[in-house]
Amino acid sequence: MGRRQTYPTKELSRRSFLVLSAVAGGGLVLGLPNLNASADETSAQTPFEAYLRIAPDSSVTVLSAHVEMGQGIFSGIAALVAEELDADITQMHAVGASGNTRLYNNITMGGTMQETQGSSAMSSSFERYRRAGATARAMLVTAAARTWNVAEEEITVDAGVIAHPSGKSASFGELVEAAVRQPVPSDVKLKDPKDWRYIGSEKLRRLDAKAKSSGRQDYTIDIKLPDMLTAVVAHPPLFGAAVKSFDAAAAKRVKGVVDVVEISHGVAVLGQNMWAAIKGREALVVEWNNDKAEKRGSARLLQEYRDLAARPADALAVSRGDADLAMADAATTLEATYEFPFLAHAPMEPLNAIAHRLGDRLDLWGGFQMPDHYQKIAAKTADLPQDAVKLHVTMAGGAFGRRGTPDAQIVVEAIECAKAIGWRVPVKVQWTREDDITAGRYRPMCVHVLKAGLTQEGKVSAWKHRIVGQSILAGTQYEQYVQGGVDPSLTEGAADTPYGIPHFAVEVSNAKVGVPTLWWRAVGHSHNAYVMETMIDELAAAAGSDPIEFRIGLLAERPRHIQVLNLVAEKANWGKTLSAGRFRGVAVHETYGSVVAQVAEIVVDGDGGFRVDRVVCAIDCGLAVAPDQIRAQMEGGIGFGLGATLHSKITLSDGAVDQTNFDTYEVLRLSGMPKVEVHIVPLTSPSTGAGEASVPPIGPAVANALAAATGRRSRVLPLQPLS
């Protein structure tokens, strides 16, 4: 059961909000406090949070089950509510919700926890929040009808105004007090899509655009509580190391440093401001115990991965037909080894969290991707019952998976710091960019070994694929999803390939490495798509086939893939002769239910360099609730994926991370961003997602363009120089 909050009668009267709660199976009931009940009786009826609040000034606040981290979900969910509520979009606001798994569980991901991941926020929210808006609208209409003594069917609602032909009208705020006293309709009728005003509209824009573009949007990094201290943590320079001893004398002499405390992840310096804490950490002397630390460097790890690939696999992820027998009969075989480095998430806002305990209540602030899971860990760390922990889920300045760590490290650090000083003031733990790059969690390093066969007729007959890498899920609360030694986050995008290859096998060899890993934008799809799509392209070349036609021939049972390929080919003028020095490549991939095809056009210069000049992208994500946001996500994902394709890598020397900031961990600069054209397949089928789907295809599309230019296949990322 989730936490339940008591709403005293006077407080409810002043705030005037509607409270909607989910029941088992994803349905909705309206849980309204009895205004004449005692506090205890009210608590027994009312969930502690809600989906929708209407204030006396008619502003509508939507409590989002999903955290806003740049993908636009606050605006999308607010549009769902506004559509069925018949509100004006300018009335709408959204904030992060938390604390009640039953209310805010991710329906698409199984409904067991609140989480923002897998590009599932819109599919989880689509019906739930529309019903919230429709239910609130019905109660407002009933309130108006009874107040004015007219029939409900005579009342209209438009742009936040409730009206009757007699001339009577009222705003939401004027009727909300009466609305909360009305019976809750057992069922509400949702709008016919032909009547939608906001859903699918090209005019729909983000609600937070003005605040963000003007610098007025607050993130956790901006929050300042009275008397708050800021802490930075000295983390071990090697993963797995621990504090042996430390000398805080010099650190404490730094002006503004208040305290130095040991916590489970290192030694924290608490200051009156960030600068004092940083300077105090620089003066801190720590001796580390490296007995259990990871001391291998990247070169050694890579060789060990290659050696693992040459031995029998640990597990079989998928097998159909007989890949070995078919390979032996193949007219042509191709073999390749692919190498991928560790990658950092590098969101613009590094990790942070604030902990503040007052009496028996603990308040936490942060852009949390898994709020209820963090709440449980916070309660255990603070020695409090779970319902005594209140999370304030703030907007996050980027995440890409980084703000969903199974051990809730940033929350634990904030709580341990506040606890170490007796809870006397709030404490914000703020990581620096260097902390994020050198002490973070990474996309696993991987090696893929692949062999594929073609028949005499140029058809793909066999595919045998070995993936060597770390499990992200092993040792976490998600370990039950590791079945038979196979972590699905390592094999997704390969084991479930849409290509109709009759004899197909994917194996896994699990590497044991002390470097902490985490899901990175598109997770396993981000490297598996590269392998699948570059090898398919290489097979097409060996068969003497057009790359798009070759793919379509393998996708007979996947009409969505064929449709996006045809669309991207049309918009990119595939087949048209390019000017000298220009080359293009194609890739298509399905990520968490959305299918994206991309054509990358590169320009090769006379010095052996190249640049990505143009990318044409087609996406099938089901119903496009907010087309403008989808295009923005496609563009952003292409830039994110290009950075990893062309520049980014995390390397280790004797176990220590070599990169420290954006000067050495290079991401895509604005000057390297190509022209991007996005085309959305017009559909009315259920929404899937757009936050991650454009990342996997961009790397192979660029690599395939390079192969067209040079005849050389690129199997190591980031891409190596041409000369």
Side-chain angles (χ1 to χ4, degrees):
M1 293 294 291
R3 177 187 177 197
R4 292 184 295 190
Q5 172 85 23
T6 298
Y7 294 114
T9 301
K10 290 182 180 179
E11 176 71 359
L12 179 69
S13 176
R14 180 172 62 83
R15 294 171 66 189
S16 300
F17 58 79
L18 299 174
V19 184
L20 294 99
S21 66
V23 295
L28 286 165
V29 296
L30 194 63
L32 292 173
N34 180 345
L35 298 186
N36 297 316
S38 68
D40 288 343
E41 289 172 331
T42 301
S43 177
Q45 298 179 51
T46 310
F48 99 104
E49 285 275 35
Y51 291 130
L52 173 63
R53 296 174 181 169
I54 299 177
D57 65 358
S58 293
S59 63
V60 181
T61 299
V62 178
L63 283 83
S64 172
H66 300 279
V67 63
E68 174 60 68
M69 44 195 176
Q71 81 277 39
I73 195 59
F74 274 11
S75 299
I77 287 179
L80 297 178
V81 173
E83 187 67 75
E84 299 293 345
L85 185 60
D86 279 320
D88 190 281
I89 199 68
T90 60
Q91 295 175 253
M92 306 304 295
H93 309 275
V95 297
S98 67
N100 191 322
T101 304
R102 190 165 64 95
L103 277 171
Y104 305 121
N105 65 77
N106 188 316
I107 297 170
T108 305
M109 305 302 292
T112 59
M113 66 181 293
Q114 183 184 2
E115 53 187 331
T116 305
Q117 59 110 333
S119 298
S120 59
M122 184 52 67
S123 56
S124 178
S125 304
F126 187 70
E127 183 168 349
R128 172 188 284 177
Y129 280 92
R130 288 170 64 211
R131 288 196 178 278
T135 303
R137 181 190 186 281
M139 297 183 72
L140 286 163
V141 168
T142 300
R146 294 185 177 182
T147 300
W148 300 334
N149 195 27
V150 298
E152 289 186 22
E153 56 269 23
E154 297 173 353
I155 292 175
T156 60
V157 185
D158 182 56
V161 177
I162 305 164
H164 185 263
S166 65
K168 294 183 172 67
S169 67
S171 66
F172 289 170
E174 290 172 318
L175 285 170
V176 69
E177 290 280 2
V180 297
R181 294 175 171 84
Q182 304 309 314
V184 181
S186 58
D187 193 19
V188 289
K189 183 179 180 180
L190 300 180
K191 284 185 180 180
D192 188 292
K194 67 179 176 56
D195 297 323
W196 285 342
R197 178 180 181 184
Y198 300 120
I199 296 175
S201 171
E202 290 286 355
K203 297 180 180 179
L204 184 63
R205 294 293 183 264
R206 292 181 63 131
L207 300 180
D208 55 9
K210 185 175 181 180
K212 286 183 174 179
S213 60
S214 64
R216 290 196 292 270
Q217 179 63 57
D218 282 340
Y219 301 88
T220 308
I221 199 170
D222 301 305
I223 296 174
K224 297 179 181 179
L225 301 179
D227 302 318
M228 184 180 77
L229 298 178
T230 299
V232 296
V233 179
H235 296 105
L238 299 180
F239 299 112
V243 176
K244 186 175 182 179
S245 64
F246 68 95
D247 183 350
K252 289 183 175 180
R253 287 196 293 270
V254 173
K255 183 179 179 180
V257 170
V258 175
D259 212 337
V260 179
V261 299
E262 183 175 350
I263 60 175
S264 58
H265 297 117
V267 180
V269 179
L270 287 75
Q272 293 173 340
N273 52 62
M274 183 73 175
W275 181 249
I278 289 174
K279 300 306 289 184
R281 183 172 65 175
E282 290 174 358
L284 181 68
V285 178
V286 184
E287 184 178 0
W288 302 99
N289 181 345
N290 295 325
D291 291 347
K292 297 181 180 179
E294 175 59 77
K295 303 182 183 71
R296 290 172 289 181
S298 293
R300 180 179 168 187
L301 286 172
L302 188 56
Q303 186 56 54
E304 291 183 11
Y305 277 41
R306 294 169 182 151
D307 294 342
L308 272 175
R311 299 172 193 156
D314 293 333
L316 183 64
V318 65
S319 178
R320 58 176 177 266
D322 190 326
D324 289 325
L325 182 62
M327 202 77 69
D329 291 337
T332 303
T333 59
L334 299 177
E335 298 184 54
T337 298
Y338 298 83
E339 299 173 357
F340 301 91
F342 291 108
L343 289 176
H345 302 75
M348 287 305 295
E349 180 189 23
L351 288 187
N352 44 33
I354 300 171
H356 183 208
R357 180 170 177 175
L358 285 174
D360 293 331
R361 170 170 156 164
L362 174 65
D363 284 78
L364 298 169
W365 287 260
F368 309 128
Q369 282 188 251
M370 301 188 296
D372 54 356
H373 177 66
Y374 277 28
Q375 185 186 40
K376 292 175 186 176
I377 294 178
K380 183 178 180 181
T381 306
D383 301 315
L384 289 170
Q386 188 173 332
D387 63 0
V389 179
K390 167 68 174 176
L391 267 64
H392 306 268
V393 182
T394 61
M395 279 194 182
F400 318 119
R402 187 64 185 94
R403 301 181 193 276
T405 53
D407 64 357
Q409 179 181 352
I410 189 64
V411 165
V412 171
E413 289 185 352
I415 293 172
E416 288 182 344
C417 286
K419 187 177 181 180
I421 62 170
W423 307 106
R424 65 179 186 267
V425 292
V427 175
K428 177 195 290 185
V429 170
Q430 178 65 60
W431 283 33
T432 63
R433 176 67 56 206
E434 289 77 9
D435 295 331
D436 181 56
I437 299 296
T438 63
R441 311 289 173 93
Y442 310 98
R443 189 189 77 173
M445 184 175 81
C446 289
V447 167
H448 294 242
V449 177
L450 181 61
K451 187 175 183 179
L454 287 170
T455 66
Q456 193 70 44
E457 296 75 27
K459 305 294 184 182
V460 183
S461 58
W463 185 290
K464 192 164 185 181
H465 191 161
R466 172 80 59 83
I467 304 173
V468 182
Q470 285 174 262
S471 170
I472 295 173
L473 305 182
T476 75
Q477 75 270 27
Y478 300 103
E479 190 160 20
Q480 71 267 25
Y481 298 109
V482 179
Q483 298 291 322
V486 177
D487 182 340
S489 70
L490 190 63
T491 62
E492 61 186 1
D496 55 351
T497 180
Y499 291 119
I501 302 172
H503 302 281
F504 182 86
V506 176
E507 302 171 328
V508 171
S509 291
N510 291 303
K512 307 299 182 185
V513 185
V515 177
T517 59
L518 189 64
W519 27 76
W520 184 91
R521 195 173 185 179
V523 201
H525 293 277
S526 64
H527 52 92
N528 285 316
Y530 188 90
V531 175
M532 299 297 299
E533 286 301 295
T534 54
M535 178 52 78
I536 286 291
D537 214 73
E538 192 167 350
L539 289 165
S545 298
D546 174 83
I548 290 183
E549 292 303 320
F550 188 78
R551 286 171 169 81
I552 289 174
L554 290 166
L555 294 166
E557 298 181 5
R558 299 298 182 110
R560 296 176 67 206
H561 293 71
I562 293 173
Q563 187 173 22
V564 295
L565 277 170
N566 285 331
L567 179 59
V568 83
E570 174 195 344
K571 298 300 182 181
N573 293 316
W574 185 266
K576 182 180 178 181
T577 301
L578 295 171
S579 59
R582 287 184 174 268
F583 303 87
R584 59 188 162 211
V586 66
V588 61
H589 192 76
E590 180 176 350
T591 306
Y592 307 130
S594 292
V595 183
V596 172
Q598 293 170 4
V599 170
E601 189 173 312
I602 67 169
V603 178
V604 176
D605 61 38
D607 297 324
F610 75 95
R611 61 182 172 84
V612 183
D613 183 64
R614 179 188 183 216
V615 176
V616 180
C617 173
I619 178 172
D620 169 353
C621 58
L623 174 67
V625 172
D628 186 64
Q629 290 186 44
I630 291 170
R631 292 190 184 94
Q633 283 300 296
M634 293 298 99
E635 293 164 357
I638 287 167
F640 188 89
L642 265 181
T645 301
L646 302 176
H647 307 296
S648 305
K649 61 180 177 179
I650 289 290
T651 59
L652 308 175
S653 294
D654 299 323
V657 174
D658 298 319
Q659 294 73 28
T660 58
N661 208 314
F662 287 136
D663 57 338
T664 47
Y665 185 78
E666 189 175 351
V667 297
L668 191 73
R669 270 48 174 181
L670 186 59
S671 59
M673 187 67 186
K675 298 184 289 290
V676 178
E677 303 167 26
V678 179
H679 304 277
I680 303 170
V681 177
L683 295 167
T684 57
S685 55
S687 300
T688 45
E692 297 166 276
S694 65
V695 175
I698 186 60
V702 171
N704 292 337
L706 272 177
T710 65
R712 190 186 75 185
R713 294 289 167 178
S714 302
R715 295 171 180 153
V716 175
L717 288 187
L719 292 174
Q720 306 302 299
L722 294 180
S723 55

